[in-house]
Amino acid sequence: MRHTILIVDDDPGVIEGLTELFIDDYDLVAAASGAEALTIVESRTDLAAIVLDIRMEKMDGYQTASRIRDLPCDVPIVFNTGYPGEYPEKRIDKKHQPYEYVGKNEGPQRVVQAVRNAVQYHHLRSSHPELVRLARAEYGLVGKSRPMLDVYRTIEQIGPSDNKVIILGDTGTGKELVARALHKRSPRASQRFGIFNCNHKDPSLVESELFGHVRGAYTGAVEGRIGLFEYANGGTVFLDEIGDLDKTTQGKILRVLETGEMSRMGEPNVRIVDVRVLCATNRDLFTLVKQGIFREDLYYRLKGITIVMPPLKDRREDIPDLIDYFLELWCGKRGIGLKVIEPRARDMLVEYDWPGNVRRLSDAVRSLIDLTPSYYINWADVASYLKIPAQDLAGKNGFRRMVRDFERALIIKALDHNRSNVSAAARELGLDAANLRKLISSLEITV
């Protein structure tokens, strides 16, 4: 598939040069001014990137970029300027949020790479409705916030590979769901998926669980058994809370990763296994390496791709969707009609900080379904369950963070009330729709 890029520059020579540079790989559209560029952006829906000069007559690149964002348009912009010293990048990044900033003196390969990355980024981002649907239907991952979209894209990109993955995040953020999604997306999907939680278990028990043992290997071993690596041979092994492993077991896992070799406890025979290893932790492994708790060689052997699962309070815009998902899930499992949570009660759930994250929210919705006799869950039911007539946020966050969190929560609630209709939400909030869209963008709320 050939993507289309827009080149904007008031110098015909620059347009000609960039055209020669990109013509073999992209369909091209050119504009000699900011006003012409706006007309093109308004009339086309197939643009994958915009290469935009900054110093232009009448409407410069700054003004053009701002007008493009006001349309609104989320096509990535690559600023391409011959006067890099006159335009501080930090000010550009903050105000205009371009995908990349390239000086014309940096050579053609630099702008080629910037455009290639921008096009790929746009292609992945523009496919997010399908990613959101797939994540929910196939993997049980719910949400369309920017952090979650990044997680979905990474799953789609690296799932088919055999690369090792470290999944980072607090308890309850959904690390196991991501590991299952990576397995389902891989060529090993038809093979077994083995899970082991390394959290605070006796080292001999851990070794037996992972590698198996023969009869008499230790007191109480009355019969032999296979371990997780043999069980999942040909498939995927997910090691949760890997930072809690003892160093002896770490060394044996390193051997499996490097050679595919392992031995059951109590036997000298070497067995060969072929597994993809995924792991997760809520601890800082690099700090554990520096403290001598975690093996450095194993750390770098495991460190292929890193996926970070955000805490729920950092993606509040996903909470309404999660509420609906868990209502449908738990009411369905109980075999009862779908219960309804009143708007004020939903607002309380959006505002709550959710220690325990998505798992805690799931438990809360399930408990509210069980505890509420009627099919209408009101704010008093939620307040009673959460034991918070009002949250005391003072002292936990600075003033600016508190204001930002309040604005995000207010906008997310308005969008939830109005089924993500920005114009209707703007009317509810008493804002101009264009200004609300700017706030949505600046507060990183995904509609």
Side-chain angles (χ1 to χ4, degrees):
M1 175 183 177
R2 282 175 66 91
H3 296 281
T4 302
I5 64 173
L6 169 62
I7 299 171
V8 187
D9 203 297
D10 60 358
D11 184 338
V14 172
I15 291 181
E16 182 179 351
L18 292 175
T19 299
E20 291 179 2
L21 200 58
F22 292 118
I23 192 65
D24 290 338
D25 299 315
Y26 305 101
D27 293 330
L28 303 177
V29 185
S33 67
E36 186 181 353
L38 284 173
T39 301
I40 292 171
V41 172
E42 285 182 303
S43 63
R44 302 191 63 136
T45 59
D46 61 341
L47 297 178
I50 300 171
V51 182
L52 179 60
D53 187 23
I54 295 181
R55 178 178 283 189
M56 296 187 295
E57 295 295 328
K58 294 183 180 178
M59 185 188 299
D60 66 17
Y62 278 163
Q63 296 166 314
T64 304
S66 294
R67 295 280 297 277
I68 288 172
R69 293 294 179 234
D70 286 342
L71 288 176
C73 170
D74 62 355
V75 176
I77 294 173
V78 176
F79 274 132
N80 187 36
T81 177
Y83 305 90
E86 297 183 16
Y87 306 101
E89 292 182 50
K90 287 184 179 179
R91 184 159 65 92
I92 292 174
D93 287 343
K94 184 175 181 181
K95 186 173 182 181
H96 302 287
Q97 299 177 338
Y99 181 82
E100 185 63 278
Y101 176 93
V102 181
K104 292 179 181 177
N105 61 333
E106 295 185 62
Q109 193 55 41
R110 176 80 168 81
V111 71
V112 166
Q113 187 62 50
V115 169
R116 183 182 298 127
N117 292 343
V119 168
Q120 176 68 5
Y121 171 76
H122 179 71
H123 174 66
L124 288 171
R125 185 172 61 178
S126 62
S127 63
H128 83 258
E130 176 59 21
L131 287 175
V132 170
R133 186 204 64 78
L134 181 67
R136 179 175 179 136
E138 298 293 329
Y139 312 141
L141 290 163
V142 179
K144 52 182 179 286
S145 60
R146 292 183 186 181
M148 292 307 293
L149 287 175
D150 288 340
V151 171
Y152 305 156
R153 292 184 193 110
T154 305
I155 290 171
E156 293 305 302
Q157 285 178 300
I158 67 170
S161 76
D162 227 17
N163 212 327
K164 292 170 288 294
V165 181
I166 294 180
I167 307 166
L168 304 178
D170 295 340
T171 299
T173 51
K175 299 189 290 294
E176 183 180 322
L177 289 177
V178 172
R180 289 185 179 276
L182 289 166
H183 174 68
K184 285 185 178 181
R185 191 69 182 83
S186 75
R188 299 174 181 265
S190 61
Q191 304 299 316
R192 286 170 171 165
F193 177 74
I195 304 174
F196 183 73
N197 192 315
C198 311
N199 191 12
H200 306 305
K201 289 189 172 76
D202 179 81
S204 62
L205 176 61
V206 170
E207 184 176 350
S208 173
E209 292 281 347
L210 292 178
F211 304 107
H213 62 258
V214 297
R215 181 179 178 180
Y218 58 88
T219 302
V222 296
E223 61 181 18
R225 59 162 293 178
I226 68 169
L228 189 67
F229 281 99
E230 281 187 86
Y231 168 82
N233 191 20
T236 303
V237 168
F238 174 52
L239 302 176
D240 199 6
E241 301 304 343
I242 195 170
D244 293 328
L245 278 179
D246 65 282
K247 294 193 78 172
T248 299
T249 307
Q250 291 175 29
K252 294 186 176 183
I253 290 175
L254 180 63
R255 181 188 180 197
V256 174
L257 292 174
E258 290 182 337
T259 66
E261 297 178 351
M262 55 146 283
S263 298
R264 292 184 185 177
M265 288 180 67
E267 76 167 7
N269 297 339
V270 172
R271 299 172 184 267
I272 303 297
V273 293
D274 170 28
V275 294
R276 181 188 191 184
V277 175
L278 309 174
C279 62
T281 181
N282 60 11
R283 305 177 69 182
D284 185 343
L285 287 185
F286 188 66
T287 297
L288 297 182
V289 169
K290 290 191 290 185
Q291 293 172 346
I293 298 171
F294 200 83
R295 291 181 60 130
E296 184 175 12
D297 47 5
L298 178 58
Y299 170 76
Y300 285 109
R301 189 72 183 177
L302 290 170
K303 196 179 184 315
I305 304 294
T306 299
I307 295 178
V308 179
M309 292 299 290
L312 187 53
K313 66 181 181 179
D314 288 350
R315 56 179 187 108
R316 291 185 193 274
E317 61 265 49
D318 291 337
I319 293 178
D321 284 342
L322 285 161
I323 293 169
D324 294 336
Y325 177 81
F326 291 131
L327 279 171
E328 185 177 337
L329 174 68
W330 296 123
C331 287
K333 285 185 178 294
R334 280 197 57 189
I336 62 175
L338 191 64
K339 293 196 175 187
V340 175
I341 299 180
E342 71 156 329
R344 186 176 172 190
R346 290 172 70 92
D347 291 349
M348 293 181 71
L349 295 173
V350 169
E351 292 168 359
Y352 192 56
D353 268 354
W354 296 110
N357 296 291
V358 178
R359 185 182 299 151
R360 174 81 169 99
L361 174 60
S362 175
D363 290 342
V365 173
R366 184 178 188 178
S367 298
L368 288 166
I369 291 169
D370 291 339
L371 292 170
T372 308
S374 75
Y375 277 81
Y376 191 69
I377 301 170
N378 62 33
W379 71 271
D381 298 321
V382 173
S384 174
Y385 176 76
L386 295 178
K387 296 181 174 58
I388 46 154
Q391 285 180 260
D392 181 14
L393 295 176
K396 289 198 299 183
N397 301 302
F399 177 75
R400 292 181 186 276
R401 176 63 185 271
M402 290 171 64
V403 171
R404 177 183 172 85
D405 285 350
F406 177 75
E407 286 182 329
R408 288 188 95 249
L410 204 61
I411 292 171
I412 290 165
K413 287 188 290 184
L415 290 168
D416 183 34
H417 297 169
N418 295 280
R419 299 186 177 184
S420 297
N421 185 309
V422 175
S423 298
R427 287 193 294 272
E428 178 179 319
L429 294 168
L431 296 173
D432 177 76
N435 288 336
L436 178 57
R437 288 191 180 92
K438 289 179 182 178
L439 277 172
I440 288 170
S441 176
S442 66
L443 294 170
E444 298 184 338
I445 299 171
T446 301
V447 181

